[in-house]
Amino acid sequence: MTSYSMPASARVIPAEYDRCLLWVTALLLSLGLVMVYSASIAIAEGSRMTGNNAMYYLTRHAVFVLISLVAATMVFQVPLRVWQQLAPFLFLGGLGLLALVLIPGIGREVNGSRRWLSLYVINLQPSELVKVAVVLYAADYTVRKAAFMHSLRKGFLPMFGVMLLAGGLLLMEPDFGAFAVITVIAMGILFLGGMNWRLFAGLIVMLVIGFLLLIWTSPYRMQRVIGFMDPWADPYGKGYQLSHALIAFGRGEWFGVGLGASVEKLFYLPEAHTDFLLAVIAEELGFAGVLLIIVLFTLLVWRAFAIGRRAFELERPYAALVAQGVGLWIGVQAIINMGVNMGVLPTKGLTLPLLSFGGSAILATCCAIAILLRVDWENRQQARGFTV
């Protein structure tokens, strides 16, 4: 009997990238384009600032997505070892941008918050780029300090000091939401990198106390918490935004009122195309639409942690922590945004990743996912015996 060998051209070649992650990202970006247009069409058409152009926000969002995809393609080409070398400098650059925002005449103030740098054509929000820098820097720090992860003085306090500086700059804007996200990123990466669980538990308690003090000492944040606990007590004041978000969820029921048929987006629900996009999705697509969003984010976070676990198996600790840090960031921010929309958490100025309108957020998230895809690509190359 003669043996038959399959020709090389007919052999199944393993995928060079995580197709599930790529498809989930593409679906979220595509759904975001549709829903941003649906949520913004009324306000764009009725505003002089947009020239009464119904497609104003859709056009800008599409341009942001295109720019972000080009940037992500470039980011993917950079090896992880280069990102590790650049991590401290990127973090310092991020701190510099956060400080620049606070300078009168340079930082742009909107609705009482100074969070943007005007680039004439677009506004850049440095806090979004800092999230990427924090993931890269915290992973690098944890790998370098691996031998001291059980020490409060040598392992945690140096990281605590630099994160306190970043947090202080964010609170001066103020951007409490971004502060919460970068804190979770940094703490999560330290824990995944082997921090002593007793030390970690103690730090969590300290963080909770710190957050409560920040709320207690700030009348603005206290009003938001009060409005969140009972939005119907002041439905035309502190609870206005949340009460209309909840009405949108109620109107959507199981399968929604139909794409484009939302009533709440007709000048009732503020920030319908940014922070409260999920409420419009709930009204137009119903529980089914919200469930789809939750499933897609769950898949994205699962793939990020699976890629990170594979990197650990291949003895690539920095790549592993970066991958899982990206998963933490996107997962936590999505949970906070959903919680705010559903009235489970106090109102925060955080967008829904990959979906909400916002150029800086789309750019930062796409670049983070490109780095995640790079980790996966390098994992596959190393598993096949290639040097990365």
Side-chain angles (χ1 to χ4, degrees), residues 199-258:
L199 178 59
F200 184 78
L203 294 172
I204 291 295
V205 172
M206 290 173 58
L207 280 173
V208 171
I209 294 172
F211 278 119
L212 291 176
L213 286 174
L214 284 172
I215 293 170
W216 183 263
T217 56
S218 172
Y220 167 73
R221 296 191 186 100
M222 181 61 74
Q223 286 179 2
R224 282 199 165 187
V225 171
I226 294 172
F228 140 75
M229 293 175 68
D230 186 9
W232 308 109
D234 188 10
Y236 297 105
K238 295 186 292 290
Y240 180 81
Q241 201 168 28
L242 178 55
S243 62
H244 280 279
L246 295 176
I247 290 171
F249 271 87
R251 291 193 74 247
E253 298 184 351
W254 289 100
F255 298 104
V257 297

Side-chain angles (χ1 to χ4, degrees), residues 70-153:
V70 171
T73 303
M74 296 170 64
V75 165
F76 178 79
Q77 308 302 320
V78 182
L80 259 293
R81 65 177 183 276
V82 175
W83 287 119
Q84 186 172 9
Q85 293 166 359
L86 293 176
F89 305 103
L90 292 173
F91 184 69
L92 287 173
L95 292 180
L97 289 176
L98 290 179
L100 203 61
V101 164
L102 300 174
I103 301 175
I106 297 179
R108 185 168 182 266
E109 186 173 334
V110 179
N111 296 329
S113 297
R114 192 181 294 274
R115 303 177 185 175
W116 295 269
L117 292 173
S118 178
L119 302 181
Y120 299 103
V121 179
I122 61 171
N123 293 319
L124 178 69
Q125 190 172 356
S127 60
E128 296 295 339
L129 303 181
V130 167
K131 293 171 187 175
V132 182
V134 167
V135 170
L136 297 172
Y137 176 72
D140 173 57
Y141 176 88
T142 304
V143 170
R144 286 189 288 108
K145 298 282 187 176
F148 304 108
M149 280 295 104
H150 294 273
S151 169
L152 176 66
R153 182 173 63 86

Side-chain angles (χ1 to χ4, degrees), residues 130-366:
V130 167
K131 293 171 187 175
V132 182
V134 167
V135 170
L136 297 172
Y137 176 72
D140 173 57
Y141 176 88
T142 304
V143 170
R144 286 189 288 108
K145 298 282 187 176
F148 304 108
M149 280 295 104
H150 294 273
S151 169
L152 176 66
R153 182 173 63 86
K154 294 182 179 180
F156 174 75
L157 287 182
M159 185 66 174
F160 178 75
V162 295
M163 293 310 298
L164 191 63
L165 176 59
L169 292 170
L170 286 168
L171 290 175
M172 290 171 69
E173 293 183 3
D175 194 345
F176 190 74
F179 171 62
V181 170
I182 68 164
T183 300
V184 170
I185 293 170
M187 292 298 298
I189 289 177
L190 286 174
F191 178 72
L192 292 169
M195 176 179 279
N196 181 283
W197 71 268
R198 292 187 180 87
L199 178 59
F200 184 78
L203 294 172
I204 291 295
V205 172
M206 290 173 58
L207 280 173
V208 171
I209 294 172
F211 278 119
L212 291 176
L213 286 174
L214 284 172
I215 293 170
W216 183 263
T217 56
S218 172
Y220 167 73
R221 296 191 186 100
M222 181 61 74
Q223 286 179 2
R224 282 199 165 187
V225 171
I226 294 172
F228 140 75
M229 293 175 68
D230 186 9
W232 308 109
D234 188 10
Y236 297 105
K238 295 186 292 290
Y240 180 81
Q241 201 168 28
L242 178 55
S243 62
H244 280 279
L246 295 176
I247 290 171
F249 271 87
R251 291 193 74 247
E253 298 184 351
W254 289 100
F255 298 104
V257 297
L259 185 63
S262 167
V263 171
E264 285 301 319
K265 69 184 182 185
L266 304 177
F267 303 98
Y268 292 105
L269 178 62
E271 310 296 338
H273 59 299
T274 56
D275 301 351
F276 281 84
L277 185 66
L278 187 69
V280 177
I281 294 173
E283 186 178 2
E284 295 190 349
L285 305 182
F287 174 77
V290 175
L291 183 61
L292 173 63
I293 299 298
I294 293 173
V295 169
L296 289 174
F297 275 114
T298 301
L299 283 172
L300 195 156
V301 173
W302 167 60
R303 291 313 306 154
F305 274 82
I307 290 168
R309 184 172 64 251
R310 180 60 176 153
F312 271 122
E313 292 171 355
L314 294 170
E315 298 182 353
R316 304 180 63 229
Y318 177 73
L321 291 174
V322 166
Q324 295 182 349
V326 171
L328 268 175
W329 160 19
I330 294 175
V332 167
Q333 184 161 328
I335 288 171
I336 292 175
N337 180 274
M338 292 177 187
V340 167
N341 276 255
M342 297 177 189
V344 179
L345 294 171
T347 304
K348 285 284 155 281
L350 284 174
T351 58
L352 191 58
L354 299 172
L355 287 163
S356 297
F357 178 83
S360 300
I362 293 287
L363 175 64
T365 311
C366 284

